[in-house]
Amino acid sequence: MAKGFFGRLGMLLVLALALALPAHAEATAASDRPAKSKTVKSQAAKSKGHKARAVKAKVAKSRAARKALNARRAMDREMGYYRVVNGLPVLRSAYAVVIDQQTGALVYAKNPDQATPIASITKLMTAMVVLDAALPLEESITVSEADVDHLKHTRSRLPIGATVSRSDLLHMALIASENRAAAALSRAYPGGREAFVVAMNRKARNLGMTESVFVDGTGLSSSNRATAQDLARMVSAAHAYPVIREISTLGSYDILVPGRRNLRSLAYNNTNALTRNKGWDIGISKTGYINEAGHCLVMQAKISDKPLIIVLLDAQGKYSRIGDANRLRRWLENGAMQRVAKHTPGRQA
């Protein structure tokens, strides 16, 4: 009887275990699901992160490639790679002249007699008028609200209330084309700006600049106009001023101006990058830009040991005036100095 009892008990235990095992397995599986779900989600997040990083890397690589391409194109322009049509280099400037300074011979011309806005090339005339007046270069001038550009709203690092020498103002105007400095120079002229503009136009007439008009000392107004031929006369005249030669060809210049607590140094770089190029022998330099005038550059420079006056106006593109200068240089070095060339009027392709 005992044997039968224990036998039935064993059978009940086996049955109970059999019933319990599936429930336990189901509970174990249920407890495993969150862990597996978390693992899947983690893997998905990692995959998404990898894809995002891959996209960012691809974009960065693309940007770097574009930047490198733009840099190469800029270098090509600055190196002056060019093509010649009918023996003349194709330039991006709308108006241009190259004149042999020793003989006065016209070496290259493109629309030389058409008047056009000249932007900050004006500042060469500003410098000559200041120097002609024999005003003390070390005299201090305080920058005022009257010197702020309310026409083009150009920026200036020269603070209102700063007191700097006339010499420093000339440096800033000729090297960095600082408009506020040029405005202060004209305001500090005997008789003020009105008398200064009269002196500018009188100087232009004396130089034979018959197609030129000046209305301010900064060049911000598009009413400052001249022909490339007239500007060649102005550049040649400005080259006779040692102060202008020295200042305009400096690669950079530092001045001290009042800060919030102490004096602070302002570094100004020459807007003509060729002044920092040892391959160029430049005797005078000035750049200019406003929308109406395009990118402009005038220089006196020696090429193949010949002193030349170079005028480039309304160049298409930021680097084109530098590119055109280099194109002309290569053309001249390749034998063009042996002949006088005159280009048919009209913008080149």
Side-chain angles (χ1 to χ4, degrees):
M1 182 175 179
K3 183 176 180 181
F5 172 78
F6 285 112
R8 286 193 295 270
L9 182 60
M11 291 178 65
L12 289 173
L13 288 173
V14 171
L15 182 59
L17 287 172
L19 293 173
L21 282 174
H24 176 71
E26 186 177 348
T28 302
S31 64
D32 287 342
R33 284 193 201 109
K36 289 181 180 179
S37 178
K38 288 180 181 179
T39 302
V40 171
K41 288 181 179 179
S42 176
Q43 290 176 346
K46 287 181 180 179
S47 177
K48 187 176 181 181
H50 286 313
K51 288 181 179 178
R53 285 192 292 272
V55 170
K56 287 182 180 179
K58 187 175 181 180
V59 169
K61 187 176 181 180
S62 177
R63 286 176 179 170
R66 286 198 301 271
K67 188 175 181 180
L69 178 61
N70 290 336
R72 286 196 298 272
R73 287 175 176 171
M75 182 62 70
D76 287 349
R77 288 191 293 267
E78 292 192 11
M79 288 298 291
Y81 295 122
Y82 72 105
R83 60 189 177 93
V84 174
V85 175
N86 296 326
L88 298 169
V90 176
L91 302 184
R92 301 282 288 172
S93 297
Y95 315 89
V97 296
V98 178
I99 293 177
D100 186 324
Q101 193 177 17
Q102 291 177 324
T103 66
L106 189 64
V107 179
Y108 179 96
K110 179 180 178 183
N111 301 323
D113 301 317
Q114 294 184 23
T116 183
I118 60 174
S120 287
I121 305 301
T122 300
K123 293 183 176 75
L124 279 180
M125 181 62 80
T126 297
M128 286 193 289
V129 170
V130 169
L131 294 171
D132 286 348
L135 302 171
L137 293 182
E138 297 310 313
E139 180 182 354
S140 295
I141 298 173
T142 300
V143 179
S144 75
E145 178 65 33
D147 303 319
V148 175
D149 170 25
H150 295 294
L151 178 62
K152 300 290 187 181
H153 305 286
T154 55
R155 296 179 182 179
S156 174
R157 293 188 295 154
L158 188 60
I160 296 172
T163 299
V164 294
S165 68
R166 182 174 279 107
S167 175
D168 279 343
L169 292 174
L170 274 172
H171 278 78
M172 285 183 279
L174 291 175
I175 293 173
S177 216
E178 170 60 70
N179 293 308
R180 197 170 290 180
L185 286 169
S186 64
R187 178 178 53 80
Y189 186 81
R193 288 200 176 113
E194 184 176 345
F196 190 84
V197 172
V198 170
M200 293 176 78
N201 286 290
R202 181 170 59 244
K203 179 77 171 178
R205 289 194 299 274
N206 291 341
L207 294 176
M209 299 172 65
T210 58
E211 301 300 321
S212 301
V213 177
F214 295 93
V215 300
D216 63 43
T218 63
L220 288 168
S221 171
S222 59
S223 294
N224 294 290
R225 298 173 64 86
T227 65
Q229 192 78 45
D230 276 0
L231 290 184
R233 296 186 179 94
M234 186 178 78
V235 173
S236 185
H239 186 255
Y241 291 72
V243 172
I244 298 179
R245 291 201 305 271
E246 177 186 351
I247 293 176
S248 71
T249 56
L250 290 174
S252 61
Y253 186 71
D254 294 352
I255 70 162
L256 293 175
V257 298
R260 291 182 178 179
R261 295 183 179 179
N262 303 307
L263 291 175
R264 62 189 179 98
S265 177
L266 292 179
Y268 289 92
N269 290 323
N270 200 309
T271 50
N272 179 8
L274 296 179
T275 59
R276 295 183 290 278
N277 186 328
K278 294 181 180 180
W280 277 82
D281 184 0
I282 299 174
I284 194 169
S285 165
K286 189 70 195 77
T287 64
Y289 175 78
I290 56 174
N291 287 334
E292 298 91 336
H295 295 274
C296 306
L297 172 65
V298 298
M299 295 190 295
Q300 187 278 352
K302 282 187 177 180
I303 298 177
S304 297
D305 295 323
K306 287 274 190 179
L308 301 170
I309 302 298
I310 300 172
V311 177
L312 299 165
L313 304 176
D314 194 10
Q316 304 173 39
K318 182 178 180 180
Y319 299 101
S320 294
R321 60 189 176 192
I322 300 298
D324 277 354
N326 280 305
R327 278 182 272 276
L328 284 169
R329 178 183 173 181
R330 291 189 63 193
W331 175 69
L332 293 165
E333 290 175 340
N334 287 337
M337 283 301 301
Q338 305 304 318
R339 60 188 180 277
V340 174
K342 185 168 184 178
H343 179 62
T344 303
R347 186 185 286 270
Q348 291 177 317

